[in-house]
Amino acid sequence: QVQLAESGGGSVQPGGSLRLSCAVSGFTLARYTIGWFRQAPGKEREGVSCISSSYFTTYSDSVKGRFTISRDNAKNTVYLQMNNLKPEDTADYYCAATSRNFCLPIPKYDYWGQGTQVTVSS
């Protein structure tokens, strides 16, 4: 019954913004750390951002200063606000959950969503 569902993807021009949502069900979000990951065509999946159960956040160097991760445990939702989007941000974006207290490498995440597509082009 554990499920994560991403939404909010779409096509935007460079410099535009999108807000991705990760709605979770089947577990108590407050006890989980949530990460956002992305996979561009021809590339391996990479970490984008993470927010721990204690609200500690991390960002990859490529998105730091442009993306903001947040969580609303009462709504069972984690958000990724993406501003000043660049063509290199084009990818499928996934959220994932782990019961650990810290942000972790990809293999440590237990549950994954199906992904939402983000395309940034002129």
Side-chain angles (χ1 to χ4, degrees), residues 8-75:
S11 297
V12 298
Q13 295 184 359
S17 298
L18 287 172
R19 188 178 74 161
L20 305 184
S21 297
C22 175
V24 307
S25 62
F27 62 94
T28 302
L29 177 60
R31 291 177 165 79
Y32 282 74
T33 289
I34 305 296
W36 281 99
F37 304 84
R38 67 186 181 187
Q39 187 167 16
K43 296 185 177 180
E44 295 186 358
R45 191 168 297 184
E46 64 176 349
V48 175
S49 184
C50 175
I51 184 164
S52 76
S53 56
S54 61
Y55 291 80
F56 181 84
T57 60
T58 64
Y59 300 91
S60 66
D61 290 340
S62 62
V63 308
K64 193 172 184 64
R66 300 187 296 121
F67 291 10
T68 302
I69 191 169
S70 62
R71 63 191 295 157
D72 188 333
N73 292 337
K75 295 182 179 180

Side-chain angles (χ1 to χ4, degrees), residues 10 12 38-41 43 46 67 85-93 117-121:
V12 298
R38 67 186 181 187
Q39 187 167 16
K43 296 185 177 180
E46 64 176 349
F67 291 10
L85 284 161
K86 304 176 183 296
E88 51 263 42
D89 295 319
T90 295
D92 291 331
Y93 283 72
Q117 190 172 76
V118 172
T119 301
V120 185
S121 63

